[in-house]
Amino acid sequence: MKVSPEVSELDYNNTTSISGQAIPGLRTRKVQSIVEMSEGQTLALAGLLQRRVDSRNQSTPLLGDLPIIGAMFRNVSYQRSETELVILVTPRLAQAMNPDQVPPTPGQNWKYPNEAELFGMGDLGGPRSVSKTQEDTVVATPRFVGPHGFDETASNDVQPTIATTDNRE
């Protein structure tokens, strides 16, 4: 098995300016290894060390630039950070599947409304369920309707109602 992971992070020290926008560069760390192992065993890759020292210099304008006494008006701070990336790999061998074992794709069993159902009845669609006895027929349940969306109705036969007021007496 060949393992070659990499990790990237934004690097604000190497920025590029495009149309006045500062775009940070990328700092990438990579490791590559070839190993022979059985299914279920775990490989641990370590050693992607990152040591960084950030310094910050702050000074009072004009006073920090004076010789000798300017040191009282300056502040220099250092921040040291150290990280290590550990990667754990556990291989699992894939096996062939029969067509009846393949799970449905996302959205495969979703009922999409046509324009009349969407705009006329407020139907936003919903999941479909396939009966086990008749796999060729698809029954749509439930419907989602409502002024704010996704209010599940009790049955597909329920139509949205529009409240009207009659001011005639």
Side-chain angles (χ1 to χ4, degrees):
M1 174 174 63
K2 181 178 180 180
V3 181
S4 55
E6 71 179 55
V7 63
S8 300
E9 63 182 325
L10 295 176
D11 184 9
Y12 291 99
N13 293 329
N14 297 323
T15 59
T16 303
S17 181
I18 298 176
S19 300
Q21 294 282 55
I23 299 172
L26 288 177
R27 182 179 303 149
T28 304
R29 294 183 286 163
K30 300 178 184 181
V31 66
Q32 189 174 35
S33 181
I34 298 175
V35 66
E36 186 176 325
M37 52 193 308
S38 300
E39 180 183 7
Q41 290 182 328
T42 301
L43 167 70
L45 293 171
L48 288 171
L49 295 172
Q50 179 185 23
R51 292 186 181 123
R52 192 165 74 197
V53 177
D54 294 326
S55 63
R56 181 179 227 162
N57 186 4
Q58 295 176 333
S59 64
T60 305
L62 300 175
L63 294 176
D65 297 332
L66 294 174
I68 302 173
I69 64 167
M72 294 188 296
F73 299 99
R74 283 191 295 254
N75 181 17
V76 179
S77 62
Y78 297 97
Q79 181 179 5
R80 182 175 21 192
S81 63
E82 184 174 306
T83 60
E84 179 177 5
L85 179 64
V86 177
I87 299 165
L88 301 172
V89 179
T90 305
R92 300 283 181 208
L93 297 178
Q95 297 178 352
M97 293 173 47
N98 292 326
D100 60 338
Q101 294 175 319
V102 177
T105 58
Q108 181 177 346
N109 292 329
W110 186 266
K111 178 200 165 286
Y112 293 96
N114 59 26
E115 288 187 8
E117 293 171 333
L118 178 65
F119 295 114
M121 298 184 298
D123 185 4
L124 300 175
R128 284 191 255 200
S129 62
V130 178
S131 74
K132 297 288 183 185
T133 58
Q134 302 170 351
E135 292 184 9
D136 294 339
T137 57
V138 176
V139 180
T141 57
R143 271 187 52 224
F144 294 97
V145 297
H148 304 293
F150 292 110
D151 293 332
E152 185 177 345
T153 59
S155 129
N156 287 341
D157 299 331
V158 176
Q159 299 294 325
T161 57
I162 298 172
T164 60
T165 57
D166 191 5
N167 291 338
R168 291 179 285 168
E169 290 183 24

